[in-house]
Amino acid sequence: MYLADEAWPDLETYFDSESLALVPLGSTEQHGPHLPEATDHLIAEALAREAADRTGYLCTPTINVGVSGHHRQFHGTMWVEPSAFRQYMESLTRNLTAHGIDRVIYVNAHGGNVQHLREVGARLRQAEVAYAIEWMWDESIPELVDDLFAQNGPHGGPKETAMIKYLEPELVHDERLEEARDTGVPSVEAAGTVKHGSRTFYDAIDNSDNGVFGDQTDATAEKGAQLFEAASDQLVQLCEWLAEQAFDDLLPADHV
């Protein structure tokens, strides 16, 4: 069920019987010369909508702008400050609890959001308001990602390229895939910016002139379909697990 498509009287039965919501999140930021700036939020929304369709759980509208200041040197990247993002996400989640939701899955497709969503979830749990957890699609299927790509890249690489080739192929600049590979770097390790155990980089451009990593020419829509199906299965299983838990069992343990 997609919340924004429903009239309010038709949502009453959902909130009477269910207490779980999916909140898709991504970013609007550079993804190299070949992918749209919408890459992350397109992936997050597609996965959340798929899981909602398969389970009947509620999917909210997508949060399209996240914590992306580390991509700010590239044209068009949008971002909010981390503190503003955390405050917004906590407020939005508390809004859902006003309707009876007490467990939330942040369906996230942007690495820059992870630590902040974890902090928000910890605050809400400590306050015993809601149990909110962050889920990252590629981290749910790491073996498949490694099997499909020799150089999967942490950003704008073949795994994201394959997903967009599957979901929104008209948005991929196929004629720029070799450029993306040849003007980027294979990996963060290859960038040589980890010095004596210290991550000396702060921004994406510190590692890669074009902002992306890996071999984008290794991406196909068929591989994207495999990734999407496998990640969707993981998200559905997470929904089913979380829905089965007693809320009291999700709250912090008592002091020893």
Side-chain angles (χ1 to χ4, degrees):
M1 176 184 289
Y2 182 58
L3 184 152
D5 285 346
E6 303 295 322
W8 73 261
D10 302 320
L11 287 164
E12 181 179 1
T13 55
Y14 182 85
F15 290 119
D16 280 347
S17 61
E18 301 290 355
S19 58
L20 186 149
L22 297 158
V23 179
L25 304 100
S27 67
T28 299
E29 65 180 27
Q30 71 85 16
H31 274 78
H34 63 300
L35 289 179
E37 304 220 351
T39 291
D40 288 343
H41 71 251
L42 289 173
I43 294 171
E45 180 168 338
L47 288 165
R49 296 283 291 262
E50 175 72 9
D53 288 346
R54 288 173 56 181
T55 62
Y57 292 120
L58 189 70
C59 177
T60 73
T62 303
I63 310 302
N64 291 340
V65 177
V67 180
S68 298
H70 51 294
H71 294 287
R72 68 188 184 279
Q73 289 93 345
F74 296 94
H75 303 309
T77 291
M78 300 184 69
W79 69 92
V80 294
E81 293 302 317
S83 58
F85 178 78
R86 291 192 297 267
Q87 183 177 7
Y88 180 84
M89 290 308 304
E90 182 171 348
S91 179
L92 182 147
T93 307
R94 285 179 179 272
N95 153 228
L96 291 171
T97 68
H99 298 295
I101 297 296
D102 63 16
R103 57 206 76 192
V104 172
I105 299 174
Y106 299 129
V107 180
N108 180 39
H110 173 49
N113 295 338
V114 172
Q115 68 186 85
H116 308 292
L117 293 172
R118 292 281 299 167
E119 182 175 330
V120 169
R123 286 183 193 170
L124 293 166
R125 181 174 184 249
Q126 191 63 40
E128 301 188 356
V129 171
Y131 183 77
I133 52 175
E134 184 267 346
W135 177 85
M136 189 85 167
W137 73 270
D138 56 323
E139 293 180 2
S140 76
I141 50 170
E143 295 87 1
L144 179 59
V145 171
D146 286 342
D147 287 345
L148 289 178
F149 308 111
Q151 286 285 353
N152 56 58
H155 181 74
K159 62 187 175 186
E160 289 183 321
T161 305
M163 283 285 266
I164 299 300
K165 274 179 167 285
Y166 172 63
L167 295 171
E168 301 283 351
E170 70 283 359
L171 298 181
V172 179
H173 294 274
D174 289 321
E175 75 281 4
R176 298 178 185 169
L177 295 179
E178 291 186 5
E179 174 192 349
R181 178 195 62 197
D182 295 343
T183 61
V185 294
S187 63
V188 174
E189 291 76 18
T193 52
V194 176
K195 306 290 188 184
H196 310 292
S198 176
R199 291 156 54 101
T200 64
F201 57 92
Y202 284 96
D203 297 329
I205 202 168
D206 297 337
N207 285 318
S208 171
D209 288 343
N210 71 358
V212 294
F213 306 84
D215 182 359
Q216 292 76 11
T217 66
D218 198 18
T220 65
E222 292 73 22
K223 290 180 180 181
Q226 288 181 258
L227 295 171
F228 186 81
E229 181 179 355
S232 297
D233 287 345
Q234 290 296 310
L235 182 54
V236 165
Q237 292 176 55
L238 179 60
C239 290
E240 292 171 344
W241 171 83
L242 185 54
E244 291 174 357
Q245 307 308 304
F247 184 65
D248 286 347
D249 292 341
L250 298 171
L251 297 178
D254 292 334
H255 193 284
V256 296

